[in-house]
Amino acid sequence: MVVTASGITECQIISWLVKPGDEVQEFDPICEVQSDKASVEITSRFEGRIEKLHYSPGDMAAVGSPLLDIDVEDGEEDLIEESFTADSPIENDNEAIGTTASTEISKPPVQTLDPVSRSESSGIKVDYESLFLKQQNAALVSPAVRRILKEHDIDINEVQGTGKDQRILKEDVQRVLKAREDIDATENPPPFWPSPESSNRNSPIGDRLVTLSPIQAQMFKAMTRSLSIPHFLYTHTVDLTEFVRIRKRVATRPAIAARLQTGDGKPLKLTLLPFMLKALSEAVSSFPIVNSRVVENGKTGHPTLEIKGSHNFGLAVDTPQGLLVPVVRNVQHHSIMSLTREISRLGHLARQGKLKPEDMQDATLVVSNIGSIGGQVVAPVILSPMTAIVAIGKAEEVPVFAVDSDGNESIVKKTKAVVSWSADHRILDGATVARCAQQLALWLENIDDMGLVLK
């Protein structure tokens, strides 16, 4: 099996779709794995009988290690090992999930025995039916819930799922934990007088060590690489009053609202984000160096700069699994309507944990909509090898002095938000970032003019 993205050394087995004794055909699904930020289904490269599973659900499988054994009945009794490897090709994407295998002749030849007889012959009886049921249940658990199960050492079969298709939710696990606490409180009631240990205020209470999830581990690596980038911070305020007016006008026009729908006909809200992406695309068209990536040459030691023609903007998305950054590709060719649909599609896949590796590759610039949660001025961290990142703060209504055509002053209500930039100061100087930011503000504050450049 090939790695899901460059630099990946291990994958977590989410669930097995086969058990020892099963007959599989070529390209039949055999298991589901998660690597960093993507869950992918693995298919078989061979036709034969499953002999052995090398991992249990929840285990981390290292790249290059055997995944399972398949008995291929070709007259020679070959034993095929499906394994993790970083060298196997895959169509159109050498960093996607796929399968590969290394073949070795079994010594002695594999005997054709059913799973029960094989186990009994060795003196160990394995209940494969129960094991397979556990593997099926594991498929109905999100990575976040699976982490809670592992932290509290809870058997997945103890939890009754109440979600769709009996999916196990966080609330289901919390009910099991609450039941455990009630039993402990009944069987081991606290003493009337506190013990010396419990009265020691200097002792740590509730401290525990937890393993980073695959997404947290990937973020740890990415942020560590970012420490080598000298960040230049720049903030400015953008007037969004025109955007608010446009959004209210669209809401009163059914013909336009009818076009703001998902592929299955669900209505979409018109948000600031598609306008932000389009305005940013126009801004970096005037300052293409902002839309670039640093290429480090290990042989010569002299870095080069790759100025990207495509505006592939990554979106920071908050999900139950952690921070994910899916990529909207070729923003320069999108309309506001198509951007709205694409942002909605990627956001839905991210929150469902169904993004593919290619959905998160080749970003040239990242946009964080942190203002949807809160906050004004932020200092976003650049993801190497990109040279910049942009963050939008929370939009707020503020009083502003205005002067009419007759020179009369008044106080009017405006909607404004702070936009924060972080730039790689090895590549971008302050003047370039400031001018690019002014172009962004110009398009956002004159949204009607944006229609003149839409493609």
Side-chain angles (χ1 to χ4, degrees), residues 14-15 57-58 130-142 145-146 149-150 153-161 166-168 172-173 176 180:
I14 296 179
S15 64
S130 298
L131 177 61
F132 190 52
L133 176 62
K134 179 177 180 181
Q135 294 164 354
Q136 286 180 314
N137 290 341
L140 300 176
V141 182
S142 68
V145 174
R146 190 178 300 107
L149 290 171
K150 186 174 182 180
D153 194 23
I154 300 175
D155 188 340
I156 192 172
N157 292 311
E158 297 179 11
V159 185
Q160 178 64 42
Q166 296 185 332
R167 177 175 288 273
I168 296 176
D172 301 327
V173 181
V176 174
R180 283 188 177 182

Side-chain angles (χ1 to χ4, degrees), residues 90-279:
I90 188 170
E91 294 181 3
N92 301 328
D93 187 1
N94 60 1
E95 292 182 350
I97 286 281
T99 58
T100 189
S102 59
T103 305
E104 57 186 45
I105 304 301
S106 58
K107 300 177 181 179
V110 176
Q111 299 179 359
T112 307
L113 299 174
D114 61 85
V116 174
S117 61
R118 281 199 303 273
S119 302
E120 291 176 347
S121 65
S122 62
I124 302 174
K125 186 174 182 179
V126 180
D127 187 353
Y128 285 112
E129 183 177 356
S130 298
L131 177 61
F132 190 52
L133 176 62
K134 179 177 180 181
Q135 294 164 354
Q136 286 180 314
N137 290 341
L140 300 176
V141 182
S142 68
V145 174
R146 190 178 300 107
R147 184 169 63 253
I148 299 176
L149 290 171
K150 186 174 182 180
E151 290 174 357
H152 295 278
D153 194 23
I154 300 175
D155 188 340
I156 192 172
N157 292 311
E158 297 179 11
V159 185
Q160 178 64 42
T162 60
K164 184 179 179 181
D165 297 329
Q166 296 185 332
R167 177 175 288 273
I168 296 176
L169 308 177
K170 182 179 180 181
E171 293 76 7
D172 301 327
V173 181
Q174 290 174 339
R175 278 194 292 271
V176 174
L177 291 174
K178 181 65 168 59
R180 283 188 177 182
E181 293 174 358
D182 293 342
I183 294 174
D184 291 341
T186 302
E187 296 179 351
N188 303 295
F192 181 78
W193 295 105
S195 63
E197 291 80 9
S198 63
S199 61
N200 185 357
R201 297 181 179 273
N202 294 325
S203 62
I205 299 176
D207 293 351
R208 54 196 175 97
L209 293 176
V210 297
T211 303
L212 294 179
S213 68
I215 292 178
Q216 290 172 324
Q218 182 67 8
M219 181 182 294
F220 183 91
K221 295 176 183 178
M223 294 299 99
T224 300
R225 289 194 297 268
S226 297
L227 290 174
S228 63
I229 301 176
H231 283 54
F232 168 77
L233 306 179
Y234 179 86
T235 63
H236 60 116
T237 302
V238 177
D239 188 346
L240 300 177
T241 306
E242 187 71 10
F243 160 72
V244 174
R245 182 184 63 82
I246 291 287
R247 184 167 61 178
K248 289 180 178 179
R249 188 176 67 187
V250 169
T252 62
R253 296 186 178 182
I256 299 178
R259 298 184 60 184
L260 283 172
Q261 295 181 349
T262 61
D264 54 2
K266 294 181 180 180
L268 294 172
K269 291 183 179 180
L270 189 62
T271 66
L272 176 62
L273 201 50
F275 291 92
M276 177 72 181
L277 295 188
K278 197 62 185 178

Side-chain angles (χ1 to χ4, degrees), residues 355-391:
L355 286 172
K356 298 178 181 179
E358 56 265 29
D359 291 329
M360 297 178 287
Q361 295 173 354
D362 303 324
T364 59
L365 194 61
V366 173
V367 177
S368 170
N369 189 19
I370 191 66
S372 62
I373 299 176
Q376 293 289 333
V377 179
V378 297
V381 181
I382 302 168
L383 294 175
S384 177
M386 287 173 277
T387 58
I389 183 173
V390 185

Side-chain angles (χ1 to χ4, degrees), residues 264-329:
D264 54 2
K266 294 181 180 180
L268 294 172
K269 291 183 179 180
L270 189 62
T271 66
L272 176 62
L273 201 50
F275 291 92
M276 177 72 181
L277 295 188
K278 197 62 185 178
L280 185 60
S281 176
E282 293 301 321
V284 300
S285 294
S286 300
F287 300 92
I289 193 174
V290 178
N291 191 59
S292 62
R293 295 164 67 100
V294 177
V295 180
E296 297 184 3
N297 192 322
K299 296 181 179 180
T300 64
H302 299 294
T304 57
L305 190 64
E306 183 181 15
I307 298 178
K308 307 296 289 187
S310 297
H311 299 171
N312 299 337
F313 295 162
L315 301 178
V317 180
D318 180 39
T319 75
Q321 296 80 32
L323 179 65
L324 301 179
V325 187
V327 179
V328 179
R329 301 183 183 279

